[in-house]
Amino acid sequence: MANPSLLTHWPMFGLVVRTPRLELRFADDDLACGVAEAAAQGIHDPDYMPFSITWTDVPPPQQQRNTLQHFWQMRAAWKPDDWHLLLAVVIDGQPAGVQGAGAKNFALRRVASTGSWLGRRFQGHGYGKEMRAAILHLMFDGLGATRCESGAWEDNAPSLGVSRSLGYEENGDEWLLRRGVSTRQIGLALTRERWEAHRPAFDIAIEGLDACRDMFISRVDEDAGIEDAGRIE
């Protein structure tokens, strides 16, 4: 349970999305440390790189430090018109990975992008699809998105399979460098209509969203002056 003062000033700490087998939680520092350890225990075969940024090539303990810094940076940089939500994936009480979503000018555009990773020992059990379904439920049902986007290297069959099973359609591609080699990355898009048609049958519950909804959907002009808040001259 988050510190009551933290919940008052940063209600995002109370945000939870629950499915039958896992939870997505906005991570406090203790949970973020657990996620950092899960990352260091391995996410993919060292000979393969599923990410656009090769952050998993960094050895421990720097990898854990980098992971914690990433959580802290995303919190510190948060603005209602430019946010990157990192939710810890918790399976049987254990930190297992991250499911993220990000958007710019979401109040006006209603478009979000998603990305994720899952510790290697948790893979192969259908959790990847379940955690993606959970973040899509938060974006579409909770926040009123009209479109969600994602992407994967053309040889990342598990990620592409999850996207297609949930109704995403290909939305172009681009050639990017992966460990110095030009590689095709496939863009994917999911409209609200296709999400409604492909949403899973299992129940998904959202907790704590009302308390932090304005952190996602306030208009840009309502946020004027946030950079000056708390500044000491």
Side-chain angles (χ1 to χ4, degrees):
M1 181 68 181
N3 181 302
S5 294
L6 279 177
L7 282 173
T8 298
H9 302 302
W10 195 267
M12 198 80 72
F13 281 109
L15 181 61
V16 184
V17 186
R18 292 189 174 91
T19 74
R21 299 191 300 161
L22 58 81
E23 293 181 343
L24 306 184
R25 288 187 164 273
F26 191 85
D28 60 14
D29 284 354
D30 287 341
L31 185 50
C33 282
V35 170
E37 290 298 336
Q41 290 170 16
I43 300 172
H44 55 84
D45 188 308
D47 293 332
Y48 179 74
M49 175 50 64
F51 306 119
S52 299
I53 299 174
T54 57
W55 63 277
T56 50
D57 282 345
V58 179
Q62 192 60 48
Q63 187 178 122
Q64 289 96 320
R65 293 170 184 165
N66 289 354
T67 300
L68 286 171
Q69 277 191 292
H70 187 55
F71 273 101
W72 295 330
Q73 286 171 346
M74 294 305 101
R75 288 187 212 162
W78 189 284
K79 295 180 181 180
D81 63 313
D82 187 355
W83 47 262
H84 190 168
L85 175 68
L86 297 180
L87 296 177
V89 181
V90 180
I91 299 172
D92 294 331
Q94 300 178 72
V98 167
Q99 176 64 70
K104 291 186 177 182
N105 298 319
F106 182 79
L108 302 175
R109 298 177 62 238
R110 299 290 171 165
V111 177
S113 60
T114 65
S116 65
W117 63 263
L118 189 64
R120 205 166 180 184
R121 65 193 182 94
F122 296 96
Q123 296 172 14
H125 304 285
Y127 293 129
K129 180 176 179 178
E130 198 162 326
M131 58 199 252
R132 181 88 69 87
I135 198 71
L136 291 174
H137 184 82
L138 176 62
M139 294 298 108
F140 284 116
D141 198 60
L143 292 172
T146 59
R147 176 186 174 98
C148 283
E149 299 173 341
S150 187
W153 300 118
E154 63 178 348
D155 56 4
N156 191 343
S159 180
L160 291 170
V162 165
S163 296
R164 288 164 178 155
S165 71
L166 289 168
Y168 287 79
E169 296 179 297
E170 289 195 20
N171 183 41
D173 61 7
E174 55 184 331
W175 290 83
L176 302 172
L177 292 180
R178 177 174 56 169
R179 287 178 172 167
V181 177
S182 182
T183 309
R184 179 174 176 249
Q185 187 173 85
I186 298 172
L188 300 146
L190 178 66
T191 63
R192 169 174 284 277
E193 292 74 21
R194 287 189 62 81
W195 170 71
E196 291 283 4
H198 291 81
R199 61 192 300 175
F202 54 79
D203 290 335
I204 303 175
I206 303 171
E207 177 182 316
L209 178 59
D210 287 345
C212 60
R213 187 181 299 276
D214 64 331
M215 298 178 72
F216 291 95
I217 59 175
S218 291
R219 293 181 181 274
V220 176
D221 57 355
E222 292 175 343
D223 198 38
I226 191 171
E227 294 179 357
D228 293 327
R231 182 174 293 174
I232 299 174
E233 299 295 345

